[in-house]
Amino acid sequence: MARVGIDLEAVESQLVKSAESLYEMLDKLLPEKEGVLEDRLIEAMRYSTLSRGKRIRPFLTIEASKLFGVSMSSAQRVAAAIEFIHAFSLIHDDLPALDNDELRRGEPSCHKKFDEATAVLAGDALLAYAFEVLADSQTHQDSGVRVELVRNIAQVTGFRGMIGGQMIDMLAPHNTMGFPEIVRLQRMKTGEFFAVSCEAGAILGKAPHSLRNALRTYARNIGIAFQITDDLLDVEGNRDITGKNVQKDKAQNKATLVECLGIEEAREHAVRLARQAVEYLAPFDSRADVLRDLAEFVIIRQY
Amino acid sequence: MARVGIDLEAVESQLVKSAESLYEMLDKLLPEKEGVLEDRLIEAMRYSTLSRGKRIRPFLTIEASKLFGVSMSSAQRVAAAIEFIHAFSLIHDDLPALDNDELRRGEPSCHKKFDEATAVLAGDALLAYAFEVLADSQTHQDSGVRVELVRNIAQVTGFRGMIGGQMIDMLAPHNTMGFPEIVRLQRMKTGEFFAVSCEAGAILGKAPHSLRNALRTYARNIGIAFQITDDLLDVEGNRDITGKNVQKDKAQNKATLVECLGIEEAREHAVRLARQAVEYLAPFDSRADVLRDLAEFVIIRQY
């Protein structure tokens, strides 16, 4: 059951604290400019990863890791790799040939700040670097754990996951998508990546499959609720608060659950998903309360 | 020492045979169209990977694997992953914002055949899929081997390797590059990826580091000689034979060793690199003769 009367400010402050701590790890892992010809690439990788963001996916990794006594250093390296992949996907999605978005997290998107070629390559480099970090022995002493992280994260990133979802998003105007197709799209685009971000903590902790699956399902639901809230903010939100342009989905004729179900029913669906998500946390004690509260946060956030 | 009087036709026929056998593995590993909305992505991934190509990088993996008794199935899965990454790099390099190339392997490049958005995403998906394949337990029973492949291959793909090299290539017209800078660029763009393609066979075979390093250095030299030959073909070659547009480097003001040293000296440098490469194969018996002959092939090829 969802907890009654969650302390929204407490969740937000935990997110902020976690994001600050992750920032240090991102900053440490990212290459530094070193007076070489490719410094522009490194600058773009840093620009797009270190810009402010909610850092919800890495937050899931870190909070799930805490449930299994995983070392903070391991958890943060995996969380950073997940954020690199998220940054890669935002850079490429914003490109003129894709969503053509000039604003991201309140700042010029990567290709506006640099140029298109640099944005393509910075996204590519972040994607490759994520797997380099995951595979490095500093991430976990057990190579079986590292390789499982690589495999699972690569799978939800690729054609079956985020990238496949983005392809559908690009083609959507030319197709008629109903409720089941949109739900499948949102699982691919957002749900599965949330799922693996959270499961990663359990993989690091060598948790049994039952608990891994519980965390996956929790986070998949959270992810889709998060996506619906994003789509609601696109319809109703304020650019000054969200830090990105609004009313884009309509302009781009994107298939969203808000458009499919209407505002009220979409909001109810997101609430239902968040409630269901919390039920999957039943095997965990009060240490999972942050994750329980997060389920509320993702649906009532204004940014 | 290089062998006197190599049989060029024999090398070519081995390359063709190996490429045919690899084709089956690529075809098997690549996803099939299955009547889903993202089929266009899968079609583009297949189009760009299954088109004809010399397949020299995967050939290095397979021939090196043979030196250590690695199973053909393991060797071919890794070779396929390497070819997926190579295909990714070609798709993105050809994009209008990068080299703006409409012809690749004698056919329309990916963004011409499909569109820019599909080409960006197909490249992304191939890159992610390569790591998924490498990390899968079918690639090798030992997770330590798989994770080392992921780490080493990710490293030479990313900002320190191919992608960093492509960034320099994009910026080169705005810089003055001398011999050392161009050599560094060619190591990043081509040399290190050749090196890891060959070393991968030794990693699969759990070979000692001395032999791994010997194969790396052999292949790095081959790779740079290959790149110089590419640049010579760009100046002197025939589009009908090479399958790509020629005289591009000059038009794009690219920094090449041919431009830096002149045609004759660049050709001599390539020959020197190929000769040196063969010397690193000294620890290996006649089973490495294919690799010895390959060193000659890369510098005298016409396509």
Side-chain angles (χ1 to χ4, degrees), chain B residues 57-78:
Chain B
R57 295 161 188 79
F59 186 73
L60 288 168
T61 309
I62 287 165
E63 289 304 320
S65 295
K66 285 182 186 168
L67 299 176
F68 305 101
V70 173
S71 83
M72 192 45 121
S73 145
S74 281
Q76 282 201 327
R77 285 181 63 95
V78 175

Side-chain angles (χ1 to χ4, degrees), chain A residues 218-235:
Chain A
Y218 154 80
R220 185 184 298 118
N221 282 2
I222 291 273
I224 299 175
F226 179 89
Q227 182 65 55
I228 294 172
T229 309
D230 244 22
D231 298 338
L232 285 165
L233 288 171
D234 183 75
V235 174

